[in-house]
Amino acid sequence: MSLLDRYNSQLVDEGDAEDQEFLDLLDDDEAFQGYREQRIAELSRQMKEAKDGAQSGHGSVQTLESDKDVLEATTSADRCVIHFFHPDFTRCKIMDSKLEQLAARHLGTRFVRVDASKAPFLATKLGLKALPVVVCYIKGQEATRVVGFERLGGTDNFQLSALENLLYTYGIIQRVGTSGMRRAEKKMEEEDEDWSD
């Protein structure tokens, strides 16, 4: 048996073990009830977050018209991402597209944009010299900013995951979890522990 065949066999065995673990969970009424309650609570939280977010402008990138609107956005949301842009700049359009995708996935964070020329007070106060600029706030305090694409790989075709990971690192967005993802993360932690022994 080749090394590749052994690896594939091991993957099948691990998949079978995970399937069996899930089937065992279904057979154990108490464990299944606990899982069910946990999942219902998680879904209820996500539904509440989606409802609250939709009412306060979450889920899409809203266009603001003035300094005052931007200041209100940063103080009214726990987590807020502000894209200072120019409507004719290609890189601003690229950033806008990425932020639209993230806004739809991360309802707990408010995403807004403002034409930098319509917010001259903030553009000066924040020292904006290049566009696009994304400034991120947590409870009204600046957490980080992204100027251009340097922190995202330095190219116009940067991956959405690069921006998402950056925002996650600073607590601007939260990971959307599923039990499968948690199981995978736990498995990775166990493998890391095995390597450290």
Side-chain angles (χ1 to χ4, degrees):
M1 181 182 275
S2 73
L3 182 61
L4 181 60
D5 291 335
R6 280 187 282 177
Y7 177 74
N8 287 334
S9 173
Q10 181 181 1
L11 287 178
V12 169
D13 291 343
E14 288 174 3
D16 290 344
E18 286 179 5
D19 291 344
Q20 187 59 48
E21 182 181 321
F22 184 71
L23 290 173
D24 290 345
L25 175 68
L26 291 175
D27 288 339
D28 183 353
D29 288 339
E30 282 184 38
F32 180 71
Q33 187 63 25
Y35 170 77
R36 184 174 179 270
E37 289 172 7
Q38 175 189 0
R39 191 70 182 121
I40 288 171
E42 185 178 317
L43 289 172
S44 294
R45 180 191 56 78
Q46 289 174 349
M47 294 280 289
K48 182 183 180 323
E49 190 175 274
K51 182 181 174 187
D52 293 346
Q55 291 174 349
S56 60
H58 295 231
S60 64
V61 179
Q62 292 182 305
T63 302
L64 304 180
E65 298 297 326
S66 68
D67 290 312
K68 180 182 175 192
D69 293 340
V70 175
L71 291 171
E72 184 179 312
T74 59
T75 56
S76 66
D78 284 344
R79 293 182 307 276
C80 186
V81 173
I82 302 171
H83 175 209
F84 290 90
F85 75 101
H86 188 284
D88 297 331
F89 290 6
T90 301
R91 285 186 155 200
C92 291
K93 292 175 184 174
I94 293 168
M95 182 62 79
D96 231 17
S97 171
K98 304 288 185 179
L99 292 174
E100 285 283 354
Q101 293 174 58
L102 290 178
R105 290 167 54 171
H106 299 282
L107 300 178
T109 302
R110 186 167 183 199
F111 289 80
V112 299
R113 69 177 151 247
V114 64
D115 183 337
S117 67
K118 292 184 178 181
F121 171 76
L122 285 175
T124 302
K125 183 169 172 69
L126 294 172
L128 305 183
K129 297 190 185 326
L131 294 176
V133 173
V134 175
V135 184
C136 305
Y137 291 90
I138 297 176
K139 297 188 181 199
Q141 299 294 313
E142 184 176 329
T144 191
R145 70 173 62 187
V146 180
V147 179
F149 298 159
E150 288 307 309
R151 296 175 68 190
L152 305 169
T155 66
D156 287 1
N157 61 352
F158 67 89
Q159 297 293 313
L160 178 64
S161 60
L163 179 57
E164 188 171 35
N165 288 332
L166 181 82
L167 297 180
Y168 170 72
T169 299
Y170 286 92
I172 307 303
I173 59 174
Q174 297 174 336
R175 293 265 190 235
V176 178
T178 65
S179 58
M181 289 175 67
R182 284 192 295 273
R183 204 170 45 236
E185 289 170 358
K186 183 178 178 187
K187 186 172 182 135
M188 289 173 55
E189 288 172 5
E190 290 170 356
E191 290 173 358
D192 287 345
E193 289 173 10
D194 290 344
W195 279 99
S196 63
D197 291 340

